Amino acid sequence: MPRVKLNSGTIHYEKSGPTDGRPLVFVHGYMMGASLWRPLSERLSKRGFLCVAPTWPLGAHTEPMSPGADLTMEGVAAMVGDFLDSLGLEDVVLVGNDTGGAIAQILSTTADQRLGALVLTSCDAFEHFPPPIIKPLIAAARAQPTFAAALQPLRTRFARRRAFGGLAHADIDKLALEWLRPPLSDGRVRGDLRRFTGSLNRQSTVQAGGRLPQFTKPALVAWSADDEFFPLEDAKRLAAALPSSRIEVIPQAKTFSMIDQPDILADLITDFDGAGVGRDVAARRARAAV
């Protein structure tokens, strides 16, 4: 798996599709990893997009971050920007889900110079953050022993189903097991997750929401019809706040529309791309040749 070394630590990522395709960069949520996006990346890379799916330091990362890394919502958003800089990506379509959608909102309203468009699937927004399901972990994050103890029940399928089962119609227990292995087995990764968890607060999303009118580039709000965590009203508020946006509702999908309905989400992103995957390919090839 390719990796990029940033000042804050090493980011591992998955990549597929032609190098001269329009880049799509994905931002997953809390205690999730790059594998969340594979069904969608497989479809979009075949359509000519360059799909880049990093595992961000939100708990499922396999290599601990640097001791001084800023593991707040704003800090991780800055890492996403550093990652784009390191790869030299331009005209990026930034795609966020769950906590990653909130991180995408922060980056798009603070340092959007490499972004060409924004796609928000079901995600945290406005005053609806942090989600109630992780508030016990936020409380436990005050001390390392209590946080480690709070994670232990996730070794059982019952607890994993309670934590992750409502995110998709499909059975995602294999994915959950993969994502939980690092924080359950590596104390340094668990320490990163504890620092991030303890930093979560409503101001991050409220402030980002207030800045959304500043992002005037194209935006797609693609919300899941069956979402149990993120209300459709937030999708409407996001679309209203973003000046150049459209909203779509994905049927028969929970939060993970990229797993429940990857074909529909791929179609929406392809259509949203406007002139199609050939858009600016000649210019990209010219830049790559320099």
Side-chain angles (χ1 to χ4, degrees), residues 30 98-99 124-125 127-138 200 202 205 229-230:
Y30 183 82
D98 195 89
T99 319
D124 295 288
E127 70 277 5
H128 296 147
F129 182 77
I133 196 169
I134 66 171
K135 287 185 178 179
L137 289 176
I138 294 174
L200 298 178
R202 185 173 299 175
T205 49
F229 299 100
F230 305 112

Side-chain angles (χ1 to χ4, degrees), residues 4-11 56 65-66 79-80 82-83 86:
V4 167
K5 177 67 175 178
L6 306 177
N7 289 335
S8 51
T10 299
I11 302 295
W56 304 105
M65 304 302 287
S66 302
M79 283 182 214
V80 178
D82 291 344
F83 179 86
S86 293

Side-chain angles (χ1 to χ4, degrees), residues 18 31 50 59 61 84 114 160 167 170 179 205 236 252 284:
M31 280 202 289
L50 171 62
H61 54 298
L84 302 183
R114 290 192 178 272
R160 291 193 301 273
L167 294 168
W179 299 335
T205 49
K236 296 175 181 177
Q252 298 180 343
R284 288 193 192 91

Side-chain angles (χ1 to χ4, degrees), residues 148-192:
L151 292 179
Q152 293 310 304
L154 292 170
R155 296 182 183 277
T156 69
R157 184 179 177 89
F158 174 81
R160 291 193 301 273
R161 182 169 181 80
R162 184 173 180 273
F164 293 92
L167 294 168
H169 287 299
D171 183 352
I172 58 170
D173 192 57
K174 284 187 177 180
L175 284 175
L177 277 170
E178 172 193 326
W179 299 335
L180 289 167
R181 191 171 296 116
L184 288 173
S185 61
D186 188 325
R188 297 169 301 168
V189 171
R190 186 165 57 250
D192 289 346

Side-chain angles (χ1 to χ4, degrees), residues 11-91:
I11 302 295
H12 298 252
Y13 64 98
E14 300 179 2
K15 182 174 71 170
S16 61
T19 56
D20 59 358
R22 189 176 190 187
L24 301 174
V25 176
F26 301 99
V27 191
H28 59 74
Y30 183 82
M31 280 202 289
M32 300 163 196
S35 53
L36 172 71
W37 302 101
R38 284 177 194 155
L40 183 63
S41 293
E42 289 172 0
R43 287 157 173 81
L44 289 171
S45 62
K46 290 176 181 177
R47 301 183 188 194
F49 290 95
L50 171 62
C51 296
V52 181
T55 293
W56 304 105
L58 307 186
H61 54 298
T62 56
E63 186 171 345
M65 304 302 287
S66 302
D70 182 357
L71 296 178
T72 62
M73 291 284 286
E74 291 75 15
V76 175
M79 283 182 214
V80 178
D82 291 344
F83 179 86
L84 302 183
D85 290 341
S86 293
L87 292 186
L89 299 176
E90 299 177 5
D91 195 28

Side-chain angles (χ1 to χ4, degrees), residues 234-258:
D234 277 357
K236 296 175 181 177
R237 291 174 65 188
L238 287 167
L242 291 159
S244 301
S245 68
R246 57 183 267 201
I247 184 172
E248 300 284 350
V249 178
I250 302 174
Q252 298 180 343
K254 293 190 177 183
T255 302
F256 290 167
S257 55
M258 68 294 298

